[in-house]
């Protein structure tokens, strides 16, 4: 039999090419599968957020933030925060650095799904810490730094359809330059977790009231709509839209888009 009539598929070179093509095809399929796994939950998140943004006053600020969590033991974890924003904690665009200790008084796991997250698996816990805002404008107009001590207590209760309602009471002990004041904050948040192609997605909505002793009045409200996506064991990404309404020292309104990168260890 002549060489031209041999089965070409039996040649070693052809087998190598076929094997290489198969590996490339499998690699492409795996990449597309991973892309779909990431894009599907984020499509839900973006749709949720921008649906809320369409009803807000309009986005005028971007609030980026970095979070680092370290679990000391089942009852405690450390939390470091870095943010750079205007209008959130200061009238000026400012770097904010904070360090906190979270303590769980009742480390009961609420469900198997929620056991993946330290905060959402606790029914009652507290946070204490220190926050420094580097650029703040005093009432006199002078730019100073603010040093802030923080104490907060969180508690949650179940609602229908696997939704959880969390209440938070927080006190900010504020030294703005040489002036001391206290701010009391009350927040309600509704949240539900989903599994989307192996990813945990946690959309939420909350509303917060601020009482400022500098004015002896309820000075601010903050409404937030957002979602967190767990992308790996140690990394999560949170996006949100916020609408902030100020009554004191003057009436003002602010819309913001927030992006928070979170590392957990």
């Amino acid at each position: 039999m002549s060489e031209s009539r041999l089965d070409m598929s039996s040649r070693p070179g052809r087998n190598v090419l076929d094997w290489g093509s198969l590996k490339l095809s499998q690699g492409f399929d795996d990449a597309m599968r991973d892309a779909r796994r990431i894009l599907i939950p984020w499509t839900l998140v973006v749709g949720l957020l921008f649906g809320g943004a369409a009803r807000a006053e309009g986005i005028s600020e971007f609030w980026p933030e970095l979070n680092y969590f370290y679990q000391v033991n089942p009852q405690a974890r450390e939390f470091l925060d870095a943010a750079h924003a205007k209008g959130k904690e200061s009238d000026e665009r400012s770097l904010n650095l904070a360090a906190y200790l979270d303590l769980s008084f009742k480390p009961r796991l609420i469900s198997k799904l929620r056991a993946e997250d330290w905060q959402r698996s606790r029914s009652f816990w507290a946070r204490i810490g220190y926050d420094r805002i580097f650029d703040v404008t005093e009432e006199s107009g002078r730019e100073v730094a603010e040093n802030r001590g923080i104490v907060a207590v969180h508690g949650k209760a179940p609602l229908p359809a696997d939704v959880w309602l969390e209440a938070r009471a927080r006190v900010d002990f504020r030294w703005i330059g040489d002036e001391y004041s206290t701010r009391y904050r009350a927040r309600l948040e509704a949240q539900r977790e989903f599994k989307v192609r192996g990813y945990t997605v946690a959309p939420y909505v909350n509303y917060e009231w601020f009482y400022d002793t500098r004015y002896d009045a309820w000075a601010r409200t903050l409404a937030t709509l957002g979602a967190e996506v767990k992308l790996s064991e140690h990394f999560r990404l949170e996006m949100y839209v916020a609408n902030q309404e100020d009554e004191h020292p003057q009436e003002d309104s602010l819309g913001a888009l927030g992006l928070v990168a979170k590392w957990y260890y």
Side-chain angles (χ1 to χ4, degrees), residues 62-69 79-86 88-89 93-100 127 131 150 168 170 185 187 204 222 224 235-240 242 256-264:
F62 176 56
W63 293 346
E65 191 172 344
L66 301 176
N67 292 172
Y68 176 83
F69 297 87
F79 169 30
L80 302 178
D81 176 68
H84 190 261
K86 179 180 180 181
K88 187 177 183 180
E89 300 293 351
R93 186 166 300 280
S94 174
L95 173 66
N96 310 329
L97 298 178
Y100 304 98
R127 170 172 290 169
D131 192 358
I150 294 168
R168 184 188 76 175
R170 170 171 161 167
R185 304 167 58 168
R187 188 183 75 184
Y204 64 88
L222 178 64
T224 307
F235 182 70
R236 304 175 195 178
L237 204 58
E238 178 183 344
M239 292 178 64
Y240 63 88
L257 173 66
L259 180 64
V260 188
K262 302 179 176 182
W263 286 266
Y264 290 79

Side-chain angles (χ1 to χ4, degrees), residues 95-115:
L95 173 66
N96 310 329
L97 298 178
Y100 304 98
L101 178 64
D102 295 342
L103 300 171
S104 174
F105 299 116
K106 201 172 184 181
R108 177 175 61 88
L109 297 181
I110 295 174
S111 70
K112 183 179 179 180
L113 176 62
R114 301 181 70 83

Side-chain angles (χ1 to χ4, degrees), residues 145-161:
E146 176 181 346
N147 295 289
R148 183 185 300 175
I150 294 168
V151 176
V153 178
H154 300 245
K156 60 169 56 69
L159 295 177

Side-chain angles (χ1 to χ4, degrees), residues 192-213:
R192 190 185 192 281
E193 288 189 3
F194 299 88
K195 280 286 188 179
V196 181
R197 292 185 174 270
Y199 288 88
T200 301
V201 181
Y204 64 88
V205 59
N206 64 49
Y207 197 86
E208 188 167 13
W209 297 264
F210 298 71
Y211 185 91
D212 197 325
T213 59

